[in-house]
Amino acid sequence: MGSTTPRFGIRYPYQAEVVTPQHFANFASDMNAALTSLATLRDRATNMPAAHVTSEAGTTVPANTTVTLALNTSPFVVVNNAGMWNPAQNDRLTCTVAGIYVVSGSVGGSTTNATTMNAFELSLTFTGANNKVILHKENTENNTHEGHWAVNTLWIMQPGDYVRMGCWWSGSGSITPAIKHLSAVCVALI
Amino acid sequence: MELTDFLKLPMPGPDDTGATAAYLQRLAREADARMGQYEDELNAATRPYVSVCRALNGDTISGRFEYTVQSEIFANTGSSVVYSNFPTYDDPRWVMEGFSNFPVPGWWSIGAAKITSPQPTGITNNSVFAYILEVRSTDLNPGRETTIYRTTRTYADSQTGSESGEIYGTFYLPPGARNNYVRLFMYHDARNGSNVALDRSIDPGTVGWRLFLGSGDVAQRAGF
């Protein structure tokens, strides 16, 4: 008969019982199950879902047009421990584990083909359970030189939700942002 | 009865004559308790303290929020804050304020980001549009507030247009600084332009902070 402990359900005999080999077998088996559970939890705690992909290839962005920045040419996968990055869908990171994520995007590159540039906008577009566009937008004082921009946010993502990085600018001509980074790191499970 | 070194589990001594049911019961309960502590710590590591809030309707000092436990998160249901006179460099104004009781000292990250782009209508040439994010404590020096952390993000405004951005930083909350204000300021430095009263809609977006619990690799995987 006996009873079990409150947290892990480890079986033990009543005090009046005669201890048998089965009691020790139960104890060993239940300890094994508890430690297996802890090992799974440890693996998650020390290896939270994360993805970081970069691509140095430029993407031409015409003026006044929002363009999704795919990491489509020789993407370098810094980390992808939860399958968030899928090369077949190279314009996004897709959540596989529900959580609160720090998401960052950045681009750098030449704007020398811009005749004039009045504003630049880098965005993170979340699609799924919590749709949202996070913008980093700057007026650029007719900047026709090198430019580097970044956008960061903290956002809830559910499995299947994905985030893409987009670029928009106003002016005339075209620009070719490159050195693209897109990353998402789970900082809290939900 | 002796205890094991690490888990402090009971162990029959050399003079104990055989294991009994009472011993096995105690062993199971002690093991359950010790492993339960580890389970709690590991769960905490995957659910660090996170709080995200958003300014509420039309109040220039709004979004007052309490520290939220674990992964609780507020829905983004706020709307814009409207200024009839946009704050200037000499008079930065809060757009969000939080008062919190941080439960433990340690490394925290803090950030504020606008969700939607503001719509400036009167910013003049060569002026600056900026945010300040700061954490103040009322505990470290009794009787006066102490600024623990302050960071500023500025944008040069050459012309009428919208700006949208975010501000982030990481700071160390020292022991004893449990009662803290978190404030987000915005201002427009019109000293280089004309100091005009501006009427516009500003959405300060979200302010979130989280605690890095434990070791360096926790901070590392969070990207800081």
Side-chain angles (χ1 to χ4, degrees):
Chain A
M1 288 294 290
S3 187
T4 59
T5 60
R7 180 74 74 102
F8 294 97
I10 302 169
R11 288 167 286 181
Y12 58 82
Y14 285 131
Q15 292 194 12
E17 286 187 72
V18 175
V19 175
T20 68
Q22 185 60 47
H23 288 121
F24 289 100
N26 291 343
F27 179 78
S29 173
D30 293 344
M31 285 291 288
N32 187 71
L35 289 169
T36 300
S37 170
L38 285 178
T40 301
L41 199 56
R42 177 206 57 197
D43 290 345
R44 170 56 72 211
T46 55
N47 198 31
M48 291 283 268
H52 179 188
V53 182
T54 73
S55 173
E56 295 192 356
T59 301
T60 299
V61 180
N64 308 307
T65 304
T66 299
V67 173
T68 298
L69 299 175
L71 299 120
N72 53 352
T73 304
S74 303
F76 176 67
V77 181
V78 179
V79 62
N80 184 35
N81 66 9
M84 299 175 72
W85 165 254
N86 177 1
Q89 293 181 302
N90 54 28
D91 64 349
R92 67 193 63 181
L93 296 178
T94 304
C95 175
T96 57
V97 177
I100 300 172
Y101 286 77
V102 171
V103 183
S104 301
S106 67
V107 296
S110 173
T111 61
T112 53
N113 291 328
T115 307
T116 61
M117 177 184 274
N118 301 319
F120 184 92
E121 191 175 283
L122 188 64
S123 61
L124 294 172
T125 299
F126 292 87
T127 303
N130 299 296
N131 294 332
K132 184 60 71 176
V133 178
I134 306 294
L135 291 178
H136 174 98
K137 185 175 182 180
E138 294 185 32
N139 295 328
T140 51
E141 302 192 52
N142 295 321
N143 178 6
T144 57
H145 305 291
E146 289 282 317
H148 297 271
W149 297 274
V151 59
N152 304 278
T153 195
L154 192 69
W155 202 248
I156 292 178
M157 297 182 77
Q158 301 288 346
D161 293 2
Y162 59 90
V163 58
R164 293 180 293 179
M165 180 167 58
C167 172
W168 174 95
W169 63 288
S170 66
S172 59
S174 66
I175 64 172
T176 311
I179 317 174
K180 294 168 285 192
H181 291 254
L182 182 60
S183 65
V185 181
C186 182
V187 294
L189 301 177
I190 55 175
Chain B
M1 189 163 289
E2 298 181 13
L3 301 177
T4 59
D5 291 341
F6 186 61
L7 288 178
K8 307 299 181 192
L9 296 178
M11 178 167 68
D15 296 331
D16 293 326
T17 54
T20 65
Y23 165 73
L24 198 52
Q25 181 182 109
R26 182 180 171 191
L27 179 62
R29 287 176 171 172
E30 293 290 338
D32 187 80
R34 296 292 92 72
M35 291 191 297
Q37 290 175 0
Y38 288 113
E39 187 178 50
D40 289 344
E41 291 172 8
L42 289 170
N43 275 321
T46 60
R47 291 176 173 80
Y49 298 103
V50 174
S51 176
V52 176
C53 76
R54 185 177 163 102
L56 303 177
N57 291 338
D59 188 353
T60 54
I61 306 176
S62 62
R64 181 177 287 273
F65 50 94
E66 295 291 338
Y67 172 80
T68 56
V69 176
Q70 302 288 350
S71 60
E72 181 181 350
I73 191 165
F74 288 102
N76 292 317
T77 55
S79 60
S80 298
V81 174
V82 179
Y83 288 109
S84 58
N85 291 288
F86 195 73
T88 63
Y89 177 81
D90 296 320
D91 182 25
R93 207 169 301 167
W94 303 341
V95 292
M96 296 186 77
E97 181 200 35
F99 184 79
S100 61
N101 293 297
F102 290 77
V104 292
W107 288 99
W108 292 71
S109 71
I110 188 169
K114 291 203 298 291
I115 295 297
T116 58
S117 181
Q119 301 168 0
T121 55
I123 287 179
T124 52
N125 286 345
N126 304 315
S127 59
V128 169
F129 181 78
Y131 313 101
I132 301 171
L133 195 57
E134 71 172 24
V135 180
R136 293 179 182 177
S137 173
T138 57
D139 287 347
L140 289 182
N141 293 290
R144 64 184 176 87
E145 291 187 356
T146 301
T147 299
I148 295 175
Y149 180 75
R150 180 182 177 108
T151 185
T152 304
R153 175 78 181 265
T154 60
Y155 298 85
D157 264 296
S158 62
Q159 57 205 323
T160 298
S162 61
E163 299 275 9
S164 180
E166 65 287 316
I167 181 169
Y168 280 91
T170 301
F171 67 95
Y172 184 74
L173 186 77
R178 294 179 62 85
N179 296 303
N180 307 279
Y181 289 100
V182 178
R183 286 171 177 160
L184 175 66
F185 296 86
M186 298 178 77
Y187 68 83
H188 168 236
D189 183 0
R191 290 177 298 179
N192 294 321
S194 59
N195 192 3
V196 296
L198 303 170
D199 187 358
R200 69 196 62 212
S201 172
I202 300 291
D203 184 342
T206 61
V207 170
W209 68 88
R210 63 179 295 269
L211 171 65
F212 293 108
L213 286 170
S215 64
D217 82 322
V218 177
Q220 195 172 39
R221 65 176 157 76
F224 290 90

